[in-house]
Amino acid sequence: MKSAGVSSSASAYNAVIHGYCKARNMAKAMEIVKGMECQPTVVTWTIIIDGFCKANQLKQALACFEKMREFVAPNERTYNVVVNGLCKARLTSKAYEVLKEMRDGKSVAPDLVTYSTVINGFCKQGEMDRACEILREMVTRDGMAPDVVTYTSVVDGLCRDGKMDRACEMVREMKLKGVEPDKFTFSALITGWCNARKVDEALKLYKEILTSSCRLDAVSSSALITGLCRERRIGEAYELFQEMEMREDGAWKPDVVTYTALIDGFCKSGNLEKAMKMLGVMEGRKCVPNVVTYSSLLHGLCKAGDLDQALDLFRRMTSKGCVPNVVTYTTLIHGLCAAHKVDAARLLMDEMTATCCPADTVSYNALLDGYCRLGRIEEAKQLFKEMAAKSCLPDRITYTCLVRGFCNASRLEEARFLLENMKTAAGIDPDVVTYSIVVAGYSRAKRFVEAAEFIQEMIARNVAPNAVTYSSLIDGLCKAGRVNHAMEVLKNVDKPDVVTYTIVIEGLCGTDRTEEALTLLEEMVNKRVEPSVGTFNSVIGALCRLGDMDEAWKLLVAMAAHGLEPGMVTYTTLLEGFSRTGRMEIAYELFEVMRRKAKKSSSAANLVPEQAFSALIRGLCKAREIDKAMAVVEELRSRECEPAEEDCLAIVDGLLRAGRTEEAGKLINSISKVGL
């Protein structure tokens, strides 16, 4: 301006300076200040200080604030700009010092904006006690009435801090002081209740708001939908979504967060069709899915085993310019490994690193576990070395996966060495899962002394063995015929579960110690450990082998008392027992029950097994009920199954004994045709 020969007023200079500050060109703004023909005013300094604050140059802003005082006294606006700048830089304590300076001075007093800014600053830093203390000061010391903005800052801070009771108290205080909460206050409360996993409280508040004149914003509505989805209440979430869409004012527009929450909720509830449809709705409304949206869908598809659709979606995602992150890639790697497509998972990891997205420990763990579960231990070892070469630190899961791989491959010395390396070189403490895997490995190899030593090491390192740990050792002992030792170990288990008890009961039944098995079953029930169908099957099987069918029948009744439904294995075992002991009326009754059960279910597991047909045929023949036996054979053939040779001979023998030689001959001819 000076070079153009034009004399300008301070207001003209201020306009130019403000323009440069708005463009974040602080160097040019300062150049104008230094070249001013007139003295910079308080407005000039305030514009410059505000410009530096907004350009995140707080040091220069504070320097200007100090320099300003040499020429002109700051006004209320200047102080508020400095306070706001300090709060945004998370230097709220210093901002409070400025507020106190204003309060203690005589020229400029803090106003509602000053207090609200400092209170909001402490709230955002999570210092809620300080925020509430200053709110009280504001009222009691300066007689200033907080407005809805001030109160809402505190309510929001308390909600973020999880202090919902105090937040509700603050809202009650607002109302008593005649300050009505607005949509932002309610939004803070709804979001707070959802984050505290108390969605019903959020819904209750939401319904109250609907009856008032207040209208919630998109943030609170989305928070409520997200909260419901997080609680797996996807039906209610979708109902609310539809309700919000039908609002007459049309003010609510779901954003990417809302859509992603619904998509994730549908995926977690197993409704992938609905999730994919929601993606289509989202895209149709010009709401662009982000990497979290796609990752949620990919996780759902991989979990459902639909890898083809998952890979198609991945290609669609990248073709639309959405860059996959480490979570996206790891989700696919895990899905491929779960489907035993480890080589494809390896290629995907290579693609991941080639696109400047370095694999993390979770990614490596997924692939490492894939190799180990397929018994490809050498490749797993190589991958472990690769992690170290790429400075990707292994964690407890990494070591546990590899230890499991070595144990499953019966490479126990390598498992032991790795466990030691984990403790010493890596400084990672093995947990109960890691130790239990090692105990199971040594127990399978019948190296029981060493397995027990690992349990002792666990106890010494304050890692409490659980039922799984002991069950592995007990199972190994029982399979080796050392049931007495297994019983001794069982005594040391603090809280044996149904698996632990069932293993010992099976061991006792397998060595014809049925009375002890029954005693242990009784002990199990007395200790409030509910037996499983498998537990009962073991004892019923042992009793049937002994021919004690009355006791076996009592256990069948007891199963119902425990809320257990007998399966085909249970019924077949009993049918064999009753057939063997000549009690064919009950055997046939059981067969009828099995038939009815099979008709009600489409599952192959509920088909009447051929073993049951065979037992019934032999029992009926033995009881001279040949016609019934032949009817059972015809029923078996209707399933396109032929009776076993032993069953056919039993029928032929029965027919010959009954003098029905012609029928016996026909049967012999028919079974000859099928090669028996």
Side-chain angles (χ1 to χ4, degrees), residues 446-511:
K446 299 183 181 179
R447 293 167 66 170
F448 302 117
V449 174
E450 289 158 288
E453 284 172 355
F454 278 114
I455 292 176
Q456 291 304 314
E457 182 183 312
M458 288 176 74
I459 296 166
R461 294 177 70 92
N462 293 319
V463 180
N466 59 19
V468 175
T469 320
Y470 283 112
S471 293
S472 300
L473 179 56
I474 289 168
D475 188 46
L477 288 164
C478 286
K479 283 175 179 173
R482 298 168 67 173
V483 182
N484 287 339
H485 287 92
M487 296 277 282
E488 288 300 314
V489 174
L490 180 64
K491 290 175 186 176
N492 294 320
V493 184
D494 183 33
K495 290 181 180 178
D497 62 7
V498 59
V499 176
T500 321
Y501 273 115
T502 302
I503 289 167
V504 180
I505 286 169
E506 283 177 358
L508 289 166
C509 291
T511 50

Side-chain angles (χ1 to χ4, degrees), residues 438-601:
V438 178
V439 169
Y442 276 85
S443 297
R444 280 195 302 271
K446 299 183 181 179
R447 293 167 66 170
F448 302 117
V449 174
E450 289 158 288
E453 284 172 355
F454 278 114
I455 292 176
Q456 291 304 314
E457 182 183 312
M458 288 176 74
I459 296 166
R461 294 177 70 92
N462 293 319
V463 180
N466 59 19
V468 175
T469 320
Y470 283 112
S471 293
S472 300
L473 179 56
I474 289 168
D475 188 46
L477 288 164
C478 286
K479 283 175 179 173
R482 298 168 67 173
V483 182
N484 287 339
H485 287 92
M487 296 277 282
E488 288 300 314
V489 174
L490 180 64
K491 290 175 186 176
N492 294 320
V493 184
D494 183 33
K495 290 181 180 178
D497 62 7
V498 59
V499 176
T500 321
Y501 273 115
T502 302
I503 289 167
V504 180
I505 286 169
E506 283 177 358
L508 289 166
C509 291
T511 50
D512 296 328
R513 295 164 65 174
T514 313
E515 285 299 323
E516 290 171 85
L518 282 164
T519 303
L520 196 58
L521 177 62
E522 188 179 346
E523 177 192 308
M524 178 182 181
V525 173
N526 290 338
K527 287 188 176 180
R528 300 187 183 282
V529 179
E530 281 298 312
S532 66
V533 172
T535 319
F536 277 106
N537 284 349
S538 295
V539 187
I540 287 171
L543 289 166
C544 288
R545 286 193 297 274
L546 291 173
D548 192 348
M549 298 312 301
D550 291 334
E551 196 65 38
W553 188 263
K554 284 179 187 175
L555 286 185
L556 179 69
V557 174
M559 285 179 78
H562 285 276
L564 297 171
E565 186 180 351
M568 286 298 179
V569 172
T570 320
Y571 286 123
T572 301
T573 304
L574 285 162
L575 190 151
E576 286 180 314
F578 281 112
S579 294
R580 214 170 21 246
T581 53
R583 298 168 70 175
M584 294 312 301
E585 189 177 337
I586 300 175
Y588 205 80
E589 185 184 325
L590 285 167
F591 187 69
E592 287 298 322
V593 171
M594 293 169 81
R595 273 176 172 164
R596 288 195 295 272
K597 188 178 176 72
K599 281 180 183 177
K600 286 180 184 177
S601 173

Side-chain angles (χ1 to χ4, degrees), residues 550-672:
D550 291 334
E551 196 65 38
W553 188 263
K554 284 179 187 175
L555 286 185
L556 179 69
V557 174
M559 285 179 78
H562 285 276
L564 297 171
E565 186 180 351
M568 286 298 179
V569 172
T570 320
Y571 286 123
T572 301
T573 304
L574 285 162
L575 190 151
E576 286 180 314
F578 281 112
S579 294
R580 214 170 21 246
T581 53
R583 298 168 70 175
M584 294 312 301
E585 189 177 337
I586 300 175
Y588 205 80
E589 185 184 325
L590 285 167
F591 187 69
E592 287 298 322
V593 171
M594 293 169 81
R595 273 176 172 164
R596 288 195 295 272
K597 188 178 176 72
K599 281 180 183 177
K600 286 180 184 177
S601 173
S602 58
S603 171
N606 281 326
L607 283 174
V608 180
E610 289 180 38
Q611 189 180 344
F613 280 97
S614 185
L616 188 61
I617 290 165
R618 290 199 301 274
L620 289 167
C621 288
K622 191 177 177 182
R624 305 289 177 91
E625 295 186 55
I626 305 301
D627 291 329
K628 274 190 178 182
M630 290 183 74
V632 173
V633 169
E634 288 309 312
E635 185 177 334
L636 181 61
R637 281 177 170 167
S638 70
R639 287 173 41 175
E640 297 183 0
C641 294
E642 286 297 328
E645 183 177 352
E646 187 181 340
D647 303 334
C648 290
L649 291 174
I651 293 173
V652 169
D653 182 61
L655 288 167
L656 290 172
R657 286 175 183 275
R660 296 161 65 176
T661 53
E662 188 177 340
E663 290 173 87
K666 285 179 182 179
L667 182 59
I668 290 168
N669 287 333
S670 68
I671 63 176
S672 297

Side-chain angles (χ1 to χ4, degrees), residues 227-245:
L228 287 164
C229 289
R230 194 191 295 135
E231 294 290 310
R232 307 289 176 94
R233 293 162 67 173
I234 185 64
E236 291 171 82
Y238 188 59
E239 191 178 312
L240 180 62
F241 173 81
Q242 291 177 308
E243 183 184 308
M244 293 300 295
E245 281 200 309

Side-chain angles (χ1 to χ4, degrees), residues 376-390:
R376 292 164 64 171
I377 305 302
E378 291 308 315
E379 286 160 290
K381 283 173 70 177
Q382 192 59 42
L383 192 65
F384 184 72
K385 289 175 185 175
E386 184 184 308
M387 286 181 74
K390 292 189 177 178

